[in-house]
Amino acid sequence: MRTRTTITALAAAGLFALTGCAAEDSGPDAASPDTTQAEKAKTDDAPAADTDADPGEDVGADAETATLPDMAGKGLQAAQDEAQAAGFYSLTSSDATGADRMQMFDRSWKVCSQSPAAGEHPTDTTVDFSTVKLSEEC
């Protein structure tokens, strides 16, 4: 008897939770009864984000710039640390051999080249380090 009561209570609680979630999930495009047509038009007329911009392209005129050092020949971990110290936080790395290996342990890889090249760049630029294992040649 006690087990049946517990199961019934859990089932009822589960149904209540599912029903409550379904009622609240009306999506971002659904207008509430309080939303006027003018308010809905404002959100529909909002400018879309610029999706044609390149990942490393400067899209803002007020972007802060910094000097990106040349990281070729350095260990990947040291290169990442130095780039962050210079103000660049959008960092990625790739396998220079073309084997598409993941750089799981940063200290096991060295930088062959980087994109963009060393120099003055907006700090929101994505820096890609092209790497090989420490035992390999660039």
Side-chain angles (χ1 to χ4, degrees), residues 3-138:
T3 304
R4 191 177 302 166
T5 304
T6 303
I7 291 172
T8 304
L10 288 173
L15 285 173
F16 178 73
L18 288 175
T19 305
C21 289
E24 290 177 17
D25 188 20
S26 57
D29 294 331
S32 68
D34 297 334
T35 305
T36 65
Q37 289 292 55
E39 290 172 334
K40 185 162 176 29
K42 283 181 191 176
T43 59
D44 290 344
D45 293 338
D50 183 11
T51 57
D52 295 334
D54 291 332
E57 183 180 349
D58 178 16
V59 292
D62 298 332
E64 182 179 337
T65 61
T67 301
L68 179 65
D70 183 14
M71 306 293 186
K74 296 184 179 189
L76 179 56
Q77 182 65 57
Q80 291 170 335
D81 293 344
E82 194 170 334
Q84 289 176 345
F88 297 89
Y89 294 99
S90 180
L91 308 174
T92 187
S93 59
S94 56
D95 186 354
T97 66
D100 203 27
R101 299 174 294 182
M102 301 288 291
Q103 293 74 46
M104 297 296 287
F105 301 104
D106 296 346
R107 296 184 194 284
S108 300
W109 296 81
K110 64 183 173 185
V111 177
C112 292
S113 62
Q114 69 190 47
S115 176
E120 195 76 14
H121 300 283
T123 55
D124 60 354
T125 299
T126 298
V127 180
D128 181 23
F129 296 114
S130 184
T131 63
V132 294
K133 293 288 242 172
L134 291 176
S135 61
E136 298 171 345
E137 304 255 344
C138 286

